[in-house]
Amino acid sequence: MDDIIIWSDSLGEHERNINLVLETLRTASLYCSLKKSSLFCTEIDFLGHHISRRGLGADPKKVKQILNWPKPKSATEVCAFLGLVRYIANFLPKLANYTRIFKLMPLTHKPCNKLFPTWEHSHQSAFENIKQLVVGRDCLVNIDHDNMGQNKIFVTCDTSNWRTGAVLSFGESWETARPVAFDSTQLCGAQLHYPTHEKELLAIIQALTKWRSDILGSPIMVYTDHQTLENFDQQKDLSRHQACWMEYMSHYDMEIVYIKGDDNTVADALSRLPNTVNSESPLPVAAMLSMETDKSLLKSIKEGYETDPFCKRLRDTAVSIEGAEWKNNLLYVGDRLVIPQVGSLREDLFHLTHDTLGHFGFNKSYAT
């Protein structure tokens, strides 16, 4: 037997109810663990809910990824966080009244990409206020399984090269559904080397596992910006991981639906939270090469400097060019790493950057 919940309207009634339950358990030779028991509480967390005299609320564990969101250290990270504002705006008509929130908007402007300004108290205040709005009662809802009506359950997922993100929501349509919970899980070990489609599928598996008690036995719609997963159940040749995941997914009454990456703002932002081991701003290309890819790529860049005529001239004149410098035998102009034109090296790195940072359109991809 798992947990037993006892609720009462008064202290005297509660004492009688507890005695009745304990005597019944004793008669049946069943015993409770004192360490795991909490008596005479005014609020508790149970099955993904926070229950108090104020009513039902979200379990803090469901929103800890939002509350623990680290302070942005780049314009890109500010943009990702403000994706939450775009998401909750439909649920909070008075959001525009919180003018202090938009003190963060100037930090997304183009000059901030080159030199991120000092993070001031007003920025921190706006940052914390947005967090509280996102996880507040006016925004979050609970799934009412007994009175579904026209409502549906939606699980929206995304993944980056190092983290997965997901949002559980409830409403009549995906566009109008309100959030129930958020999740973000850092990839580790072999997961970091999964191909992109398996990472996207892993994000779905982790979300299903995380919210199993909320969604098992109910029809759910799973949204992803990886289009090939729509036909995953028809795939014949499966890897070992995929076969296990397909068997696990068969437990759920679910349908996978494709959405454009531009529409997947919140799950995308959650999948790109800074690494918990090193919460610095997004890694430059050279850092990604040294930690997440084959070292031969880094070697190819250094060797390419010796054969690419442009890089050879730049190397010889770097002292007289503003912003040009050598770091760890790598050539930079400003904050950009110079990539020699050798074989398919540039194309390989372009694909690496795209897979790492996501689907953000031609112009931004080219600029990166």
Side-chain angles (χ1 to χ4, degrees), residues 60-127:
K61 295 178 182 178
K62 287 188 172 184
V63 294
K64 68 177 182 179
Q65 288 80 13
I66 305 298
L67 295 175
N68 295 337
W69 199 303
K71 181 179 70 177
K73 296 183 179 180
S74 69
T76 301
E77 292 184 12
V78 175
C79 287
F81 183 73
L82 289 181
L84 292 173
V85 177
R86 173 184 169 187
Y87 181 66
I88 67 174
N90 293 332
F91 317 128
L92 301 175
K94 296 182 180 180
L95 181 63
N97 295 339
Y98 294 86
T99 54
R100 60 186 179 277
I101 289 176
F102 299 101
K103 291 182 181 293
L104 298 182
M105 293 302 295
L107 301 184
T108 66
H109 295 166
K110 196 170 184 178
C112 296
N113 284 322
K114 295 183 178 180
L115 181 62
F116 194 68
T118 302
W119 185 263
E120 299 177 354
H121 175 73
S122 60
H123 299 141
Q124 185 64 27
S125 177
F127 183 56

Side-chain angles (χ1 to χ4, degrees), residues 225-263:
D225 58 14
H226 200 73
Q227 192 166 13
T228 59
L229 294 183
E230 277 191 310
N231 302 314
F232 175 69
D233 58 347
Q234 301 175 21
Q235 188 171 329
K236 295 181 179 179
D237 298 323
L238 301 174
S239 68
R240 179 172 59 86
H241 294 129
Q242 293 170 348
C244 292
W245 292 339
M246 178 174 282
E247 193 278 331
Y248 182 77
M249 290 166 62
S250 68
H251 300 170
Y252 296 85
D253 181 4
M254 58 178 286
E255 177 184 354
I256 297 179
V257 181
Y258 166 72
I259 54 169
K260 294 182 179 179
D262 291 343
D263 297 329

Side-chain angles (χ1 to χ4, degrees), residues 66-236:
I66 305 298
L67 295 175
N68 295 337
W69 199 303
K71 181 179 70 177
K73 296 183 179 180
S74 69
T76 301
E77 292 184 12
V78 175
C79 287
F81 183 73
L82 289 181
L84 292 173
V85 177
R86 173 184 169 187
Y87 181 66
I88 67 174
N90 293 332
F91 317 128
L92 301 175
K94 296 182 180 180
L95 181 63
N97 295 339
Y98 294 86
T99 54
R100 60 186 179 277
I101 289 176
F102 299 101
K103 291 182 181 293
L104 298 182
M105 293 302 295
L107 301 184
T108 66
H109 295 166
K110 196 170 184 178
C112 296
N113 284 322
K114 295 183 178 180
L115 181 62
F116 194 68
T118 302
W119 185 263
E120 299 177 354
H121 175 73
S122 60
H123 299 141
Q124 185 64 27
S125 177
F127 183 56
E128 295 298 334
N129 281 326
I130 293 177
K131 288 184 181 182
Q132 295 304 319
L133 286 171
V134 175
V135 302
R137 290 177 174 275
D138 292 335
C139 181
L140 294 178
V141 297
N142 292 296
I143 299 175
D144 190 348
H145 293 90
D146 295 328
N147 299 287
M148 293 286 288
Q150 299 298 317
N151 295 317
K152 301 180 181 66
I153 301 173
F154 303 92
V155 177
T156 308
C157 304
D158 194 26
T159 188
S160 67
N161 221 32
W162 60 87
R163 183 179 285 275
T164 65
V167 181
L168 176 64
S169 54
F170 182 64
E172 293 190 4
S173 67
W174 182 76
E175 292 80 6
T176 61
R178 292 172 61 177
V180 176
F182 303 94
D183 186 50
S184 180
T185 303
Q186 189 168 311
L187 301 177
C188 59
Q191 295 173 344
L192 292 167
H193 305 290
Y194 286 178
T196 300
H197 66 282
E198 286 200 353
K199 286 181 178 178
E200 297 282 358
L201 189 57
L202 177 61
I204 295 176
I205 296 299
Q206 289 180 332
L208 296 178
T209 304
K210 179 78 173 182
W211 297 316
R212 183 178 177 87
S213 62
D214 290 288
I215 61 181
L216 189 64
S218 299
I220 59 173
M221 308 285 287
V222 177
Y223 281 72
T224 175
D225 58 14
H226 200 73
Q227 192 166 13
T228 59
L229 294 183
E230 277 191 310
N231 302 314
F232 175 69
D233 58 347
Q234 301 175 21
Q235 188 171 329
K236 295 181 179 179

